[in-house]
Every structure is written in C-alpha cells, then in structure tokens.
Amino acid sequence: MTSPVRPEDPRTARTKARLRESLLAECAGRPLAEVSVSAVVRRADVGRATFYLHYEDLTALAVDARADVVHAGVEALHAWQTGPSARAPARPPAALAAFLAGAAGRAALYRTLLLPGGGGPLGDRLHRELRERARAERAAVGAPDPELVASAVAATFTGVLADWLHGGIPADPAGLADRLWTLLLALHRA
C-alpha cells in the first residue's frame, strides 16, 4: 500500500524558492563554480543549516532551480501535439526555438549542470523525463519499439543540447531547432 503524497509545507516551499532565486541571482554574473553557499544563504536571508536541511550542495540546488528547463524542454518537443493521433509537422514547433533561446541565455549555468554529450545532473534528469514521455506516447498509440525509440530521442535531444551549449555545434536557436527537429522526426519514423 502506498502512502498518499503530502503537499510540501508552505514554509519549506518559500524557503526553497528564496534559495533558488538567490542562486540564480548569484549565477547571473559568474559561473556556479565561483558561487559559494555563504553568498546564496546571505542573499536568501536564511541560515547555512537551513540550506543543508534542503540541499546536499549547490549543484543539487542548481538542478532544483533549473528543473523548469527540463519541463520546458519536454514540453517544447511536444508542443505540436493536439491529440493522440496528431502527426508531427515537418517544421519544429515555435516553442522549441524559444526553449533553445532561453537555454542560450543561461548557457554558463547549464554548462555546469549539463556536460558535453548530455551527462551531468541536469542531463540525466532531462534524458529520463524525455525518455519516459516519448515511451508513454509511443506505447499509447501502439507505435513500434517504444523503449528503443524513446531512448534514442532522449539521448539525441539531450546530447545535442549539451554539445550546442558547450560550443560544439555552431547554430543559432532557430537553426538548431530546425536541424534537431529533422533528426528527431527521423528517429520516430525509424
């Protein structure tokens, strides 16, 4: 028997929100490696012990603070869907280029959390959520090889995003969206 999920205590939610905002403000002018827990807690106006009550380290806080990028990435890839039988358009959804433009704006922070090739704490989370969403959608419509294709789509998107953010793929957000979309459609058709 599973226990019901309890909502997060409002005080805890407020504290975590202040810590996330503080970290993002600290990272606006310098890379995560140059940010200290002391600076984050001072800006958030919380104690150091409170920080460690909620997060193991700054990387864990950064992943939590940027979890929205994972959800935005997953949604951007699926923004074209209007129903279970919708067919993917030949052109990428506008949300994909918008997502990439937003990621480019925080590239320094993302490069710390999303390593070349797609590894790192944010890469692992993005890959996991994309794979599950793609697998569930393929299985729901009876498409072949849902596990295989979902894994390939997640790995391709996560790896290309990471390599682009690290400067390994020259493209502007719209250009990358077009090229990436073509790759992802090919994987779905395979």
Side-chain angles (χ1 to χ4, degrees):
M1 181 173 180
T2 61
S3 59
V5 177
R6 286 189 251 163
E8 187 173 46
D9 179 286
R11 293 170 298 177
T12 298
R14 283 191 301 270
T15 299
K16 286 180 160 183
R18 286 198 339 247
L19 287 166
R20 288 189 300 263
E21 290 167 12
S22 176
L23 176 74
L24 294 176
E26 289 292 326
C27 287
R30 57 190 166 162
L32 180 63
E34 295 177 12
V35 174
S36 68
V37 170
S38 297
V40 170
V41 298
R42 188 172 32 255
R43 184 182 286 264
D45 195 28
V46 301
R48 193 175 187 88
T50 299
F51 173 88
Y52 287 110
L53 178 66
H54 300 296
Y55 298 103
E56 180 179 315
D57 55 22
L58 284 175
T59 300
L61 171 58
V63 170
D64 187 36
R66 298 317 312 163
D68 62 325
V69 78
V70 171
H71 303 301
V74 171
E75 293 307 315
L77 285 178
H78 297 90
W80 57 272
Q81 293 176 325
T82 57
S85 62
R87 293 184 50 89
R91 306 273 309 146
L96 181 56
F99 165 77
L100 293 170
R106 291 248 186 220
L109 178 58
Y110 294 147
R111 283 192 293 268
T112 303
L113 304 171
L114 185 60
L115 304 176
L122 196 60
D124 293 345
R125 187 169 178 172
L126 178 59
H127 183 272
R128 192 172 48 252
E129 289 192 27
L130 280 171
R131 184 183 61 223
E132 181 50 34
R133 173 90 177 251
R135 189 210 56 75
E137 288 175 355
R138 288 187 67 81
V141 297
D145 298 316
E147 291 82 10
L148 176 68
V149 175
S151 184
V153 166
T156 298
F157 182 80
T158 305
V160 168
L161 174 63
D163 289 348
W164 176 68
L165 289 170
H166 282 274
I169 300 172
D172 64 13
L176 182 64
D178 287 341
R179 293 163 58 198
L180 185 54
W181 190 249
T182 301
L183 285 172
L184 296 175
L185 288 180
L187 289 170
H188 274 287
R189 291 180 184 133

